Amino acid sequence: MNLTPRRGAAAPGGPAPLALVQPPAEPPTHWRAGERTLRLLTVTVAAVAAALLTGHAWVLAVAAGPLVLLVLATSGEGRPTVGGAEATVSARRLFEGETVEARIELAVGGTHGRIVPRPYPGPGVAVEAVDVTGTTVTLRLTPHRWGRWSLGTVDVDVYDGGGLARRTVRVELGEAQVFPMPTHSALTPIPVRLPERLGEHTARQRGEGVEVTGVRPHVWGERQRRIHWPSTTRRGSVQLNQFAAERAADTVVLLDALGDYYDPSNGVSSLDETVRAGAGIAKAYLRSHDRVGVLSIGGTTRWLVPGTGGGYFHRLVETVLEVRRDLGYHLPDLAGLPRQVIPADALVYVITTLTDHRVLEVLRHLTARGNPVVVIEVPIGSPRHDVRALSSARREAAELAVRLWQADREASRFALRARGVPVLPLTPDAGLDLTLAPLLRARVQGRNR
Amino acid sequence: MNRHLPSSAGTARALGVVLVLGADAAVTTTPAVWLTLLPFTLPFAWFAAPPPPGLVPTGSSWQAQLSRRRTTAFATGCTLTAALGDPPLWLAAALTLLLLGYLLHLDGADPDAADDARRPRRAVAASFGSAVLVLLAAAAPLGSSAPGPLVAVLAVAGAAAACALALRGSPADRDDEGPRPE
């Protein structure tokens, strides 16, 4: 059984693990024999040595063929001059799944042979295509996991005109910021109380919005453009339409980065899904001109105070890019955070796997502050155990352990719901709307202060 | 990127099997010994094919380097094994041509060199011709002084000298070399 967080491993069929990919040692910078040359030379030398040692002259015939191939491969021209290489990358900020093009321009003078690039992509980066045109090498790279990654290293072998000797140029492609692809979401549930800022959500207070909440008698001095004529006719006095105020919401997305769990059934990383869901929520609220902030708990507490605007989304995702490197077990002191991080009455989405009980402590603090809190539970599957490899007694113990683990998680959910905190299971494939739909039945309640 | 065809690996392994059978036959003429050798040597034919492009080991350990250059090791091993025996002329000729064919097949199967048009047919013909010439010189019944082997040695030594000169390059080329790693 595996109940511990794993990093750098994934179930078969799952996404590529984030194993640290190290390029080989620095290649020699001087001219050296190519692989083909080495092969032909090795066979030749071995055959000649064997013929001399054994006295079997026929073995020399084995040496003759490769030797002639080598001699005829020499072009008779000088070797080309290899100055260096310059890499340009079409974009260094992109979303996961997008493809970036890297062009390597080699400074080669004279007659050169073939140019063979050997790419060593960074973690989570896949090489889609490699193309060599003249002295230009073009690579198409696709990062499949969000994060701040090195795009990789490319060793380019430049052969001489005869293809016998080569010289290697190492090119670093640099880093790229790969933003998480937000989970699709169109719903923006709101809390009971909204701050006094103009927005798009209908508040319970009366105001100058567009949603009619009732009619009332006209008071002398009021504008008469909102007269409700049916009521006026019925009651015999001027009646005016009454509208609800429209306010913007404050939303804070709290990301649980205390651990990264891989679902044994599909190899999906819980941290990946956590950040994608958080980005989806942020995008949906920013679209309706609300203020959105982010707070991640884990190794280092990172936050961004709520803000609004189209460009704010990129600031939000940049804030969480380092989360993967910060996996740890340090809990923030919420009382020590600036008050602007979690404004009063801000709706707080806590995206968590509920596997670490310390998150429950954070939730307790949040509810004690009076903020309306919604827990979005990221699925991690159940631990798997190899039934065939266990004896019957151990199998029963393993099954009992799984049942206890599931019961413990159910108890955590029950405790939260009993405290008035909705716990919504995230369904990654179905988008966030299905998860958030239950919140549309009623406004999210915070604790009354 | 993956230009390694499965048939290429299959052909290399098929050539490897025949090479192993031939090398074993060169070592011994006794069928019983030949049959005894086969279980130990035939599995090496699997390594006659280069590693698939996606599974090429990149480490600097000797195991990784050996795995990267398994075809070189296999060809060298076959050469050394066959050199232990003194086979009849037909078998020596078959082994020589098979080994040369195997090396040429590896050149053609190299994904990086597959588009290389600088391997003219005359080079292939010259390599086969020189191998046959050296073989005939080595097997020529020229008396007890045995000048045949001497002629063959001189021929190979001349070709080796030409090759060394070609690989060494001109002084201008050497000036172009970058700093060597310490």
Side-chain angles (χ1 to χ4, degrees), chain A residues 252-377:
Chain A
V252 175
V253 178
L254 193 150
L255 305 173
D256 170 9
L258 288 165
D260 187 7
Y261 298 84
Y262 286 82
D263 192 328
S265 60
N266 55 18
V268 171
S269 154
S270 68
L271 192 60
D272 278 1
E273 290 303 322
T274 298
V275 173
R276 285 169 190 152
I281 289 172
K283 195 170 186 179
Y285 278 92
L286 286 174
R287 202 183 296 128
S288 56
H289 306 105
D290 293 319
R291 293 201 310 168
V292 184
V294 69
L295 171 65
S296 69
I297 56 171
T300 306
T301 305
R302 297 176 183 279
W303 70 80
L304 191 64
V305 295
T308 188
Y312 207 70
F313 175 73
H314 290 92
R315 287 186 63 190
L316 287 170
V317 291
E318 275 179 10
T319 305
V320 300
L321 277 188
E322 298 287 344
V323 164
R324 199 192 296 278
R325 294 183 183 178
D326 291 341
L327 290 183
Y329 298 92
H330 172 71
L331 273 187
D333 176 17
L334 292 185
L337 290 177
R339 290 190 61 81
Q340 304 94 309
V341 177
I342 306 179
D345 297 328
L347 175 60
V348 182
Y349 284 99
V350 181
I351 308 176
T352 174
T353 56
L354 283 179
T355 47
D356 197 315
H357 280 201
R358 279 163 287 201
V359 171
L360 301 180
E361 189 67 15
V362 173
L363 287 165
R364 193 181 65 76
H365 279 295
L366 283 172
T367 50
R369 286 167 60 117
N371 286 91
V373 177
V374 174
V375 171
I376 295 181
E377 185 186 348

Side-chain angles (χ1 to χ4, degrees), chain A residues 193-232:
Chain A
R193 273 195 287 239
L194 292 169
E196 292 292 327
R197 285 189 302 103
L198 285 176
E200 295 184 4
H201 301 293
T202 305
R204 289 183 174 176
Q205 294 88 356
R206 277 178 291 180
E208 298 296 315
V210 293
E211 188 167 319
V212 178
T213 57
V215 292
R216 63 175 174 78
H218 171 257
V219 177
W220 184 255
E222 280 187 319
R223 290 190 305 172
Q224 296 181 1
R225 294 179 60 189
R226 294 177 173 179
I227 296 173
H228 188 246
W229 290 107
S231 302
T232 301

